[in-house]
Amino acid sequence: MPASVQTASGQLQITQSFSVEVSGARDVSLDEEVQRFQTQLSRQTGIPFRPKPGAAATLQIHADHGRQAVQKLGEDESYELTVTDSGAKLTAPTTLGVLRGLQTFLQLVEITPTGFAAPTVTIKDSPRFPWRGTLIDVSRHFIPIDVLKRNLDGLAAVKMNVLHWHLSDDQGFRVESKVFPKLTGAGSDGMFYTQEEIRDFITYAHDRGIRVVPEFDIPGHSRSWFLGYPELSSGSGPYTLEGGGPGYIDPIMDPTQESTYKFLEKFIAEMARLFPDAYFHIGGDEVDGKQWDANPKIQAFIHAHGMRNNQDLQAYFNQRLQKIVSKNHKIMVGWDEILHPDLPKTIIVQSWRGQKSLAEAAKQGYSGLLSNGYYLDLMWPAARHYAVDPMAMITTDAAAALTAEEKSRILGGESCQWAEWVTPENIDSHIWPRNAAIAERLWSPQNVTDVPSMYARMNAISLDLEFLGLTHRSARQHMLHRMAGTADISALRNLADVVEPVKDYERWDDAKGPIDFHAPLTRMIDAVYPESDVARHFNDLVQTFIKSGYKDQAAEAQIRMWLALWRDNDALLHPLLTQSYLLQEDVTLSQNLSAVGASGLQALDYLDKAQPAPDAWKTQQLAVLTQAKTRQADMLLMVAAPVQQLVEASAGHN
Amino acid sequence: MPASVQTASGQLQITQSFSVEVSGARDVSLDEEVQRFQTQLSRQTGIPFRPKPGAAATLQIHADHGRQAVQKLGEDESYELTVTDSGAKLTAPTTLGVLRGLQTFLQLVEITPTGFAAPTVTIKDSPRFPWRGTLIDVSRHFIPIDVLKRNLDGLAAVKMNVLHWHLSDDQGFRVESKVFPKLTGAGSDGMFYTQEEIRDFITYAHDRGIRVVPEFDIPGHSRSWFLGYPELSSGSGPYTLEGGGPGYIDPIMDPTQESTYKFLEKFIAEMARLFPDAYFHIGGDEVDGKQWDANPKIQAFIHAHGMRNNQDLQAYFNQRLQKIVSKNHKIMVGWDEILHPDLPKTIIVQSWRGQKSLAEAAKQGYSGLLSNGYYLDLMWPAARHYAVDPMAMITTDAAAALTAEEKSRILGGESCQWAEWVTPENIDSHIWPRNAAIAERLWSPQNVTDVPSMYARMNAISLDLEFLGLTHRSARQHMLHRMAGTADISALRNLADVVEPVKDYERWDDAKGPIDFHAPLTRMIDAVYPESDVARHFNDLVQTFIKSGYKDQAAEAQIRMWLALWRDNDALLHPLLTQSYLLQEDVTLSQNLSAVGASGLQALDYLDKAQPAPDAWKTQQLAVLTQAKTRQADMLLMVAAPVQQLVEASAGHN
C-alpha cells in the first residue's frame, strides 16, 4: 500500500500495443528491469506485446539520477506514478525508485470485464523504513542458488531491499573460502556456493534493488567450522554436522586464544571482499557457554582478565571482532546478545527478543532491526505478523518513549526463514505469500492496518508471485501427488485445505531427540500451507452468520456446502490414506474433519428449527470437537473452532 | 509396457541409502544420466539419498559397449532389468539401452503402505520400432529452447528417440543462418535459435538418447524465407509473416530457376554441418500450386520439360533437392507428397495420410513413418491415438499385405504438435500426457492394447513428468488464476475439469479469417486439458451403473456426488465469470453444466423409484442436453452424453 494514493474513475487498458519508454538516467540494471517488467506483465496478462512503431509509449519512465554501485542503506527509493485513461508516467529521483514503482504498476493491473487494466490513480510513495529484509537460513537445509534467485524476485516484487543470508550454522558452512577450504571441504556435505556463484547472485540481487548481507554466526552456532578447523573450538571434538549423542554439548569458538583472531582476520578479510555490502553480520546469538564452562583454560582466562562471566567473555570476543570487521570497512551487525556498552554505537542490533529490547538499544544510541514477530517458521497467520510494528512498543509503553532521533535508529526489520523444516521444494510456501504482509508492514505507513484489505492484497500478489516463478502454491500440488501416488487428489486437497502445521516450536519435540536434518520432508505437514485460506474464509462465514442472528441465508448455504463436503470427504479419502505410508498418519485427521462436518450440519438443523439442541447432544458434539482440535500428525484442523461456535449456539443462548 | 515382464511377489524398498554403481562401458553422457536418474528418483520420492559408504549398490548398472557419437537409426536400445528384494541389476549391450532401462526403473517405483518401492520383476525389453518421435512446430508460435529442453526430458522418459524439429514455415524461420542472415533477420520477428543454442540443444538431446531431425519445409509452407529473399519465390510479393489479405495466395519457392538451387546448395550445406543426424527433412507437403499456376514463366517451364502438371514440377524439384541433400551425406525425409518413382529408395516418407499410403510406399521399396492418427493438435483422447497402429492397415487389409522385408520398411512413427494454438505456456499440456500413449504404441508389442491399463500407466507417468519439470498440469492452474483474477478458483476448476476443446480442425473457423498468430492464447479453451479425466471417470461410472441394471449403489452415490457438485456450481461461478473479459464467453457453458447436473439427478430419482419418467419431462431434458452438447466458446461439455443415457434410461427401456 503506497504512502499516498489518489484514485479517480477510469482505467488504462493493457493491450498488445503496450509499450515503455525510458528517459533520464539509465543503466544496465534499469534496462534489464524494464525488460523483466514487460515479461512479467506479459505473463500476468498472457498478452504478447507488439508495440506499434512510432506510437507514444503507454508507460513513460523517467529517473533523475542513477544508483550507487553498491546499494546504500537509505538510498532514495521514492517514486511517483500517475495512471490516466491514456497512459502512465513513472518518475523517481533515482533508478532505484523506478524499480519500486514498476512493481506497483504490476500490482495495479487486474482483470476487468473489458480487459486487463490499471485503475486511474496518482501515487506518491516512499518507504517507512530503510531496511526491509528477509533472512534465509541455508545451513540447516541447503537451498540452491536458483531457488534463492526466485525468492529474490519475490522480495523485489514486495519492495523488500535486503536478503540476510544466514550462511553458516552448526549444520553446514555454505560459502567457499579459498583461504580456508576445509570450511566447506569438511563442513558442508558438499553443498555450498562457490565465490563465482555468490558474485553472480549479488549482481542478481543488486539488479533488483536488494542488498545482500552475509551472516557468519559466531562464536556459537558454529559447529560446522570445527569439522575442518577443530582448533577454533573451545572443546576437543571430534565434531560431526549431525551433532547430538550422549553428553554432547554445543560447540563454541574459543575466544581466549590469539589464533582464533588470526583465523578470523584472514577469513573476514576474504569475505569482506566477496560481499560488497557495507554491513557484515556476525550472529552472536544463543551462546550457551557450556563448552566454556567445561574448559579450565577458558575459565582461567575469564578470571585472569577480571571478567565476571561468559557474557563478559562474549563481549570481549565481540569487541575484538568489531575491530576486525571495522578494519575491513564494514559495519558489524549482530543479534540482541551482542549489545554491550563497550561496543561502538555504529553497530546494528537485530532483535529476536522484541521491540522493547530494540527501544532500549535505540536509547543507548544503537541502531536496530526488528525480527521478533516476523519468524516465518513459527507458522503464524499473516495477520499476526502484520500486527507487529517495529514502533508499537514505543507508542504504547510510555517508559520506552523515544525521541525523534532515537526513533530514527529503528531502521526497519527482517522476516526470518529458519530452515529446520524446509527443503528447496517447500521453502517458497513457507515464505510466501505471508512475507508480503511483513513487507507491507515495513514499507507502508504505520496506520495502514486493516486486515481484510491486507489479505485481499496478499491474495492478489500471491498469484503474481507464481507467474514470477515462485512455487508456493504449485509445490503443494506436487507433494500431494507424491503422497497419494494418484492423479486424482481432490479429496486429499479438501483435507489439506483446512489444516495448518502446529505453531511456534511445537513440531520440535525434544522427546523425539535432535532433528535429523537429512530426513525427507514429505509429510502432509510439509506440504500444507502455513495458513489455511479456506479455514479463514469459513470462519468469516460463520462469524457473518452468527452476527446476523443466524438469519443470513446466503452465508448459511455456503457454510452448509462446506460442511457437507467435509462430512463426505473421509469416505472418499480413507482408502487412499491407507495405501500410502506417507498418509497413514492422517487417518484420524480425515475422520475428524468428517465428524466436524456432520456436527456442524446438525447444529445448523437445530438453529434452523429455532429449537435448542438437547444437552446430551451438545455434550457429545463438544467432545467430538475437542478431539478434532487436538494436534494430529503435527497438524491442526482449523475449522473445528468455528463449528464449535455453531454447536454452542444451537444449544441455546448461553 | 516392456516387451517381456515377469513379476514375482516382493519389492525393493527405496530408502535413503539407495545407491547406484556403474561398471562396463562408460561415457560422460551415461554418468550424467545416472546423476539425473538419481535426482529424478529423489524428486519423485522426496527422499534425499545418502548412500552408506562401502555398502553394496542398490542398483547395479552394466553396459557392454558405448554409444555412437551421432546416434544412429536402429542403434541397440535393448536392456534387461532385474529387481529383487535386495537390489536391482540393469544390463544392456549399449549405454543407450541403459538410458532406456533407467526410465523403466523410475516407472516401477511407487508409493506403498511401507514406503516407496519397486516390485520384484524381471524385464527384457527392446523397442518394436526404431523411429519413435515427436514433431514440434516452432514456426507458428516460437517455442523457447528451455521449453523444448523440458520436452526432451519428457520424450526420454517415455523412451522416444527422435525430436522432429519443424524449424521453418510460413509464419517464421527459426534457425540462424550465417550464410543467409536475412532468413531470420527478416523472417523470424526476432524469435529464432542461434547456432550455438542449437549445438547445445543437440548435445542435450543426444545425452538423453534422442536424435534431432531438422525440417525445413519447401517448396510450400515457406513464406518466411521470402521476407528476406523474395527472389526465391514464385510470385512477386511483398510478403509478411502474417500473410492473409484479399487476393492473397500461399507463396511457393520457384523450382524453375537455377538460382533457387544455388541458394539451397549453400543453405543445406550449412545446415547439414549444423545438424549431425543422418536424416534431413525437406517437408514437401501441401504445395497448393496457385503461385505456379499464376506465373507464366513457370508454366512455360513445365511445358518445355514435358511435365504434365504441378506435381511433376514438385517431383523435379525434389529430385534436384535429393541430390543436394545426398551430396551432404544426408538421407532425405519428406511428407507423403514427395513420393515419386523418380526418387531413390533411400528416402523416407512420413505419412500424414495414413497407413495405406505408408504400406504402398513400403511395397514400392520406400521406408516410412506414420504420423496420421498421431496429431496431438487435433485434441483427441489418448485412447484414440493409442488405437492407431502403424501396421494396422497391413493386417486388416489383405490388399495391402506386405512381405516381412516390406514390413521392416515401416520404421515407426511420430506424434505431431503443430503450433497454431499453443504458446510456451500451454504447449506442455497439449503434448503431455497423451504423448506417452503414442510412445507406448511405438515401443511396446503390438498386442499391448488394453485401454484402461494404458490410462493407469499414463496417469502415473503424468505425475512423474511434472516432477521432471514439465508444466502440463500446473500451467492450467496458472491460466485459470489469470482468467479469474482470484486466489479461489475451485468453481472454475470444476467447470474446466469437464470440458474439452473442440476436435480436429473445428477451432479453425475459416469464417473468422486467417489465424492471428500473435493474439493471446489465454481463453478457457487454451487452458483446459485436451482430454478430461473427470469426464472419462464419470462416464465409466455411468456405464458401470447402467450395466448393473441401475443397482450399483456405490456407483450411484458417486454419480450423485458429481451431479450435485455440477448442479450447484453455476451459482458459485457465475459472478466470477461476469467480472472477467476472458470468462464472459463461458457463461452459457457454466449454465449448461448446472442444467446437466440437475437433469441427471432427476433421472436418478426416477430410476430409484423404478417408475418411468414422464414423456414430457424426457422431451424437455433431452432438449436441455442437446443444448449442453453444443459447442460453447469452442469447447465441448463432456459429461452431457452420459447424463443423456441416464435420462433415456429413466424414461423406460427403449
Side-chain angles (χ1 to χ4, degrees):
Chain A
M1 176 59 75
S4 152
V5 185
Q6 284 184 294
T7 52
S9 67
Q11 57 181 33
L12 172 66
Q13 295 285 336
I14 307 297
T15 67
Q16 282 205 266
S17 63
F18 179 87
S19 62
V20 180
E21 190 185 301
V22 180
S23 64
R26 293 186 82 134
D27 50 46
V28 175
S29 104
L30 178 63
D31 289 348
E32 286 180 3
E33 176 74 18
V34 168
Q35 204 60 52
R36 279 197 302 274
F37 162 79
Q38 286 171 292
T39 301
Q40 175 65 3
L41 187 60
S42 182
R43 277 194 206 152
Q44 287 179 202
T45 61
I47 301 172
F49 297 128
R50 293 176 54 84
K52 289 176 189 142
T58 324
L59 173 61
Q60 303 203 335
I61 294 174
H62 183 92
D64 295 332
H65 303 286
R67 295 170 56 193
Q68 303 286 337
V70 174
Q71 192 172 323
K72 284 207 165 46
L73 175 66
E75 198 173 328
D76 194 334
E77 297 175 278
S78 68
Y79 68 92
E80 294 189 19
L81 175 62
T82 312
V83 180
T84 70
D85 292 0
S86 57
K89 200 167 175 180
L90 171 62
T91 58
T94 69
T95 51
L96 184 60
V98 169
L99 265 53
R100 306 303 178 223
L102 287 173
Q103 297 302 332
T104 299
F105 190 91
L106 286 172
Q107 291 169 27
L108 287 173
V109 174
E110 58 186 4
I111 200 159
T112 77
T114 56
F116 281 96
T120 302
V121 76
T122 301
I123 287 173
K124 295 185 185 189
D125 200 12
S126 60
R128 179 175 166 216
F129 293 107
W131 188 308
R132 307 176 308 280
T134 294
L135 174 151
I136 299 183
D137 167 11
V138 296
S139 174
R140 276 60 175 262
H141 282 91
F142 181 68
I143 307 297
I145 211 95
D146 60 322
V147 177
L148 291 178
K149 280 186 174 175
R150 71 185 185 225
N151 276 283
L152 285 180
D153 293 339
L155 295 186
V158 299
K159 303 190 178 68
M160 277 189 164
N161 63 4
V162 173
L163 176 79
H164 174 160
W165 210 355
H166 187 79
L167 286 160
S168 71
D169 212 302
D170 291 330
Q171 292 79 10
F173 191 99
R174 305 304 184 189
V175 176
E176 176 191 30
S177 166
K178 294 182 194 290
V179 182
F180 299 109
K182 284 188 286 182
L183 283 170
T184 56
S188 77
D189 266 336
M191 289 181 286
F192 63 94
Y193 315 103
T194 65
Q195 295 199 355
E196 193 183 335
E197 284 174 322
I198 289 168
R199 274 187 288 267
D200 166 70
F201 183 73
I202 290 168
T203 301
Y204 189 97
H206 179 80
D207 285 347
R208 285 151 184 80
I210 298 168
R211 298 165 40 219
V212 175
V213 176
E215 176 184 355
F216 298 95
D217 201 350
I218 47 178
H221 285 279
S222 53
R223 191 171 64 231
S224 62
W225 302 57
F226 307 148
L227 275 80
Y229 302 94
E231 64 274 19
L232 291 173
S233 85
S234 304
S236 54
Y239 301 104
T240 66
L241 290 180
E242 283 72 18
Y248 191 86
I249 52 175
D250 280 330
I252 328 175
M253 232 169 238
D254 184 347
T256 67
Q257 52 189 13
E258 282 307 304
S259 56
T260 298
Y261 300 103
K262 286 202 179 114
F263 184 102
L264 290 173
E265 289 247 7
K266 286 186 199 164
F267 174 75
I268 290 173
E270 183 186 18
M271 292 300 131
R273 283 193 303 274
L274 181 60
F275 292 93
D277 197 75
Y279 295 82
F280 195 92
H281 203 301
I282 56 85
D285 57 320
E286 298 186 319
V287 177
D288 79 355
K290 283 183 196 153
Q291 264 199 352
W292 288 350
D293 294 340
N295 184 329
K297 191 188 62 130
I298 290 175
Q299 290 305 314
F301 184 92
I302 288 178
H303 295 131
H305 288 74
M307 299 172 185
R308 291 159 302 173
N309 49 32
N310 289 340
Q311 283 68 43
D312 284 356
L313 180 60
Q314 192 185 349
Y316 165 80
F317 176 74
N318 286 337
Q319 277 179 271
R320 299 283 306 261
L321 202 55
Q322 195 276 328
K323 289 198 182 80
I324 299 171
V325 170
S326 181
K327 207 172 92 180
N328 285 286
H329 313 292
K330 303 286 182 186
I331 300 165
M332 189 166 97
V333 192
W335 298 97
D336 282 308
E337 291 94 325
I338 70 160
L339 199 63
H340 193 280
D342 291 342
L343 283 176
K345 307 298 186 217
T346 48
I347 66 157
I348 294 190
V349 177
Q350 179 168 18
S351 180
W352 61 271
R353 288 183 178 155
Q355 291 98 326
K356 202 173 169 203
S357 154
L358 202 59
E360 283 163 5
K363 279 195 167 188
Q364 294 170 39
Y366 293 98
S367 296
L369 305 168
L370 184 66
S371 278
N372 179 293
Y374 300 143
Y375 273 35
L376 294 163
D377 55 317
L378 300 187
M379 302 290 145
W380 294 2
R384 187 167 169 193
H385 291 303
Y386 194 60
V388 176
D389 193 289
M391 297 288 191
M393 202 66 174
I394 297 158
T395 53
T396 58
D397 183 345
L402 299 183
T403 66
E405 194 191 343
E406 286 161 356
K407 277 183 190 169
S408 73
R409 294 186 190 126
I410 314 277
L411 300 174
E414 286 184 359
S415 61
C416 296
Q417 179 54 58
W418 300 105
E420 281 85 358
W421 301 110
V422 291
T423 65
E425 186 173 52
N426 73 359
I427 189 171
D428 291 6
S429 76
H430 286 235
I431 298 177
W432 306 103
R434 294 178 304 149
N435 205 31
I438 298 171
E440 178 165 286
R441 173 58 47 240
L442 297 172
W443 176 284
S444 302
Q446 187 166 6
N447 63 3
V448 175
T449 54
D450 182 62
V451 168
S453 66
M454 176 279 284
Y455 274 114
R457 287 188 296 278
M458 192 181 84
N459 279 336
I461 201 155
S462 179
L463 303 187
D464 297 346
L465 291 171
E466 281 263 341
F467 281 110
L468 203 49
L470 285 156
T471 63
H472 53 295
R473 310 287 291 191
S474 56
R476 188 185 79 161
Q477 189 84 353
H478 290 162
M479 295 176 79
L480 294 182
H481 275 302
R482 174 193 294 138
M483 285 183 258
T486 59
D488 178 11
I489 53 163
S490 48
L492 186 58
R493 195 168 48 209
N494 289 340
L495 179 61
D497 270 347
V498 293
V499 299
E500 292 180 5
V502 290
K503 307 298 163 186
D504 302 320
Y505 294 111
E506 285 179 22
R507 184 175 184 179
W508 203 333
D509 183 346
D510 286 337
K512 293 179 190 164
I515 300 173
D516 175 2
F517 290 98
H518 300 293
L521 292 177
T522 50
R523 298 164 61 208
M524 180 86 107
I525 183 183
D526 301 306
V528 299
Y529 306 138
E531 181 174 10
S532 160
D533 291 341
V534 172
R536 192 175 65 246
H537 175 62
F538 178 76
N539 186 54
D540 289 348
L541 281 172
V542 169
Q543 303 320 315
T544 301
F545 180 60
I546 290 173
K547 277 190 200 122
S548 77
Y550 318 109
K551 291 191 177 68
D552 186 330
Q553 292 190 359
E556 183 178 349
Q558 282 196 62
I559 293 168
R560 280 187 176 273
M561 199 201 66
W562 283 114
L563 293 170
L565 179 79
W566 298 331
R567 179 197 57 197
D568 300 339
N569 201 61
D570 187 54
L572 298 169
L573 184 54
H574 186 79
L576 193 65
L577 299 182
T578 57
Q579 283 164 29
S580 158
Y581 83 108
L582 288 173
L583 291 174
Q584 284 167 346
E585 65 175 357
D586 303 316
V587 164
T588 305
L589 193 67
S590 173
Q591 287 166 346
N592 286 349
L593 178 61
S594 283
V596 166
S599 184
L601 285 168
Q602 289 171 32
L604 288 178
D605 288 344
Y606 283 117
L607 284 167
D608 285 355
K609 281 183 280 185
Q611 286 176 349
D615 281 350
W617 175 86
K618 180 186 169 186
T619 306
Q620 188 188 27
Q621 297 309 310
L622 291 181
V624 165
L625 291 163
T626 301
Q627 148 75 3
K629 285 197 286 184
T630 59
R631 159 187 184 156
Q632 296 291 343
D634 297 332
M635 285 174 288
L636 301 171
L637 190 54
M638 302 306 290
V639 292
V643 168
Q644 184 173 337
Q645 286 182 275
L646 294 177
V647 166
E648 281 166 354
S650 72
H653 305 283
N654 38 6
Chain B
M1 177 58 76
S4 153
V5 185
Q6 283 184 293
T7 51
S9 67
Q11 56 182 33
L12 173 66
Q13 295 285 336
I14 307 298
T15 67
Q16 282 205 267
S17 63
F18 179 86
S19 62
V20 180
E21 189 185 303
V22 181
S23 64
R26 293 187 83 133
D27 49 45
V28 175
S29 102
L30 178 63
D31 288 348
E32 286 180 3
E33 176 75 17
V34 167
Q35 204 59 52
R36 278 196 303 274
F37 161 78
Q38 286 171 293
T39 301
Q40 175 66 3
L41 186 60
S42 182
R43 276 193 206 154
Q44 288 179 202
T45 60
I47 301 171
F49 297 128
R50 295 176 54 83
K52 288 177 189 143
T58 323
L59 172 61
Q60 303 203 334
I61 295 174
H62 182 94
D64 296 331
H65 304 286
R67 295 171 56 193
Q68 303 286 338
V70 175
Q71 192 173 322
K72 284 207 164 49
L73 175 66
E75 197 173 329
D76 194 334
E77 297 176 277
S78 68
Y79 68 92
E80 293 189 21
L81 175 62
T82 312
V83 180
T84 69
D85 292 1
S86 57
K89 200 169 176 180
L90 171 62
T91 59
T94 69
T95 51
L96 184 59
V98 169
L99 265 55
R100 306 304 178 222
L102 286 173
Q103 297 301 333
T104 298
F105 190 92
L106 285 172
Q107 291 169 27
L108 287 175
V109 175
E110 59 186 4
I111 200 161
T112 76
T114 56
F116 281 96
T120 302
V121 75
T122 301
I123 287 172
K124 295 184 187 191
D125 200 11
S126 59
R128 179 173 166 217
F129 293 107
W131 188 308
R132 307 175 310 279
T134 294
L135 174 151
I136 299 183
D137 167 12
V138 296
S139 175
R140 274 61 175 260
H141 282 91
F142 181 68
I143 306 297
I145 211 96
D146 59 323
V147 177
L148 292 178
K149 279 185 174 176
R150 69 184 186 224
N151 276 282
L152 285 180
D153 293 338
L155 296 185
V158 300
K159 303 190 178 69
M160 276 189 164
N161 63 4
V162 173
L163 176 80
H164 175 160
W165 210 355
H166 187 79
L167 285 161
S168 71
D169 211 303
D170 291 330
Q171 292 79 11
F173 192 99
R174 306 304 185 189
V175 177
E176 176 191 30
S177 166
K178 293 181 193 291
V179 182
F180 299 108
K182 284 188 287 183
L183 284 170
T184 56
S188 77
D189 266 334
M191 290 180 285
F192 62 94
Y193 315 104
T194 66
Q195 295 199 356
E196 194 182 335
E197 284 174 322
I198 288 168
R199 275 186 288 268
D200 166 70
F201 183 72
I202 290 168
T203 303
Y204 190 96
H206 179 79
D207 284 346
R208 285 151 184 80
I210 298 169
R211 297 164 41 214
V212 175
V213 176
E215 176 184 354
F216 298 94
D217 201 351
I218 47 177
H221 286 281
S222 53
R223 191 173 61 230
S224 61
W225 300 58
F226 307 148
L227 273 79
Y229 302 94
E231 63 273 19
L232 291 172
S233 84
S234 304
S236 54
Y239 301 105
T240 65
L241 290 181
E242 283 72 18
Y248 190 86
I249 51 176
D250 280 329
I252 329 176
M253 235 171 236
D254 184 347
T256 67
Q257 52 190 14
E258 283 307 305
S259 57
T260 298
Y261 300 104
K262 286 201 180 115
F263 185 102
L264 290 173
E265 290 245 9
K266 286 186 199 163
F267 175 76
I268 291 173
E270 184 186 18
M271 291 302 130
R273 283 192 304 274
L274 181 60
F275 293 93
D277 197 75
Y279 294 83
F280 194 92
H281 202 302
I282 57 85
D285 57 319
E286 299 186 319
V287 177
D288 80 356
K290 284 182 195 155
Q291 263 198 353
W292 289 348
D293 294 340
N295 185 328
K297 189 189 64 128
I298 290 175
Q299 290 306 314
F301 184 93
I302 287 178
H303 295 132
H305 289 73
M307 298 171 185
R308 290 159 305 173
N309 50 31
N310 289 340
Q311 283 70 42
D312 283 356
L313 180 59
Q314 192 185 349
Y316 165 80
F317 175 75
N318 285 336
Q319 278 178 270
R320 299 283 305 262
L321 201 54
Q322 194 276 330
K323 289 198 184 80
I324 300 172
V325 171
S326 180
K327 208 173 91 181
N328 284 285
H329 313 292
K330 303 287 182 186
I331 300 165
M332 189 166 97
V333 190
W335 298 98
D336 281 309
E337 292 92 328
I338 70 160
L339 199 62
H340 193 280
D342 291 342
L343 283 176
K345 307 298 186 216
T346 49
I347 66 158
I348 294 190
V349 177
Q350 178 167 18
S351 179
W352 60 271
R353 289 184 178 154
Q355 291 98 325
K356 199 171 170 203
S357 154
L358 201 60
E360 283 163 5
K363 279 196 167 187
Q364 293 170 39
Y366 292 97
S367 295
L369 304 169
L370 183 66
S371 278
N372 180 293
Y374 301 142
Y375 273 34
L376 294 164
D377 55 316
L378 300 187
M379 301 291 145
W380 295 1
R384 187 166 169 195
H385 291 304
Y386 194 60
V388 176
D389 193 289
M391 297 286 192
M393 203 65 178
I394 297 159
T395 53
T396 58
D397 184 345
L402 300 184
T403 65
E405 193 190 343
E406 286 161 357
K407 278 183 189 168
S408 73
R409 295 187 190 127
I410 314 276
L411 300 175
E414 285 185 358
S415 60
C416 295
Q417 179 54 58
W418 300 106
E420 281 85 356
W421 301 110
V422 292
T423 64
E425 186 173 51
N426 73 358
I427 189 171
D428 291 6
S429 75
H430 286 235
I431 298 177
W432 306 103
R434 294 179 303 149
N435 206 31
I438 299 172
E440 177 164 288
R441 173 57 48 242
L442 297 171
W443 176 283
S444 300
Q446 187 165 7
N447 63 3
V448 175
T449 55
D450 183 61
V451 168
S453 66
M454 177 278 285
Y455 273 114
R457 286 190 295 279
M458 191 180 84
N459 279 336
I461 201 155
S462 179
L463 304 187
D464 297 345
L465 291 170
E466 282 263 342
F467 280 110
L468 204 48
L470 285 156
T471 64
H472 54 295
R473 310 287 290 190
S474 57
R476 188 185 79 161
Q477 189 84 353
H478 290 163
M479 295 176 79
L480 295 181
H481 275 302
R482 174 192 295 139
M483 285 183 259
T486 59
D488 178 10
I489 53 163
S490 47
L492 187 59
R493 195 169 47 209
N494 289 340
L495 179 61
D497 270 348
V498 293
V499 299
E500 292 180 6
V502 289
K503 306 297 163 185
D504 302 320
Y505 294 111
E506 285 177 23
R507 184 175 184 178
W508 203 332
D509 183 347
D510 287 337
K512 293 179 190 166
I515 300 172
D516 175 3
F517 289 98
H518 300 293
L521 292 177
T522 51
R523 298 163 62 208
M524 180 86 107
I525 184 183
D526 300 307
V528 298
Y529 306 138
E531 180 174 12
S532 160
D533 290 342
V534 172
R536 191 175 66 246
H537 176 63
F538 178 77
N539 186 54
D540 288 348
L541 281 173
V542 169
Q543 302 321 314
T544 302
F545 181 61
I546 290 173
K547 278 191 199 122
S548 77
Y550 319 109
K551 291 192 177 69
D552 186 329
Q553 292 188 0
E556 184 179 348
Q558 282 197 62
I559 293 169
R560 280 187 176 274
M561 197 202 67
W562 283 114
L563 293 169
L565 179 79
W566 297 332
R567 179 196 57 197
D568 300 340
N569 200 61
D570 187 52
L572 299 168
L573 184 54
H574 186 80
L576 193 65
L577 299 182
T578 58
Q579 283 163 28
S580 158
Y581 84 107
L582 288 173
L583 290 173
Q584 284 167 347
E585 65 175 357
D586 304 315
V587 165
T588 305
L589 194 66
S590 174
Q591 288 166 346
N592 287 349
L593 178 60
S594 284
V596 166
S599 183
L601 286 168
Q602 288 171 32
L604 289 178
D605 288 344
Y606 282 118
L607 285 167
D608 286 355
K609 282 184 280 185
Q611 287 177 348
D615 281 348
W617 176 85
K618 180 186 169 186
T619 306
Q620 188 190 27
Q621 296 310 309
L622 290 181
V624 165
L625 291 164
T626 301
Q627 149 74 3
K629 284 196 288 183
T630 59
R631 159 185 182 157
Q632 296 291 343
D634 297 333
M635 285 174 287
L636 302 171
L637 189 55
M638 303 306 290
V639 292
V643 168
Q644 184 172 340
Q645 287 182 276
L646 294 176
V647 166
E648 282 166 353
S650 72
H653 306 281
N654 39 6

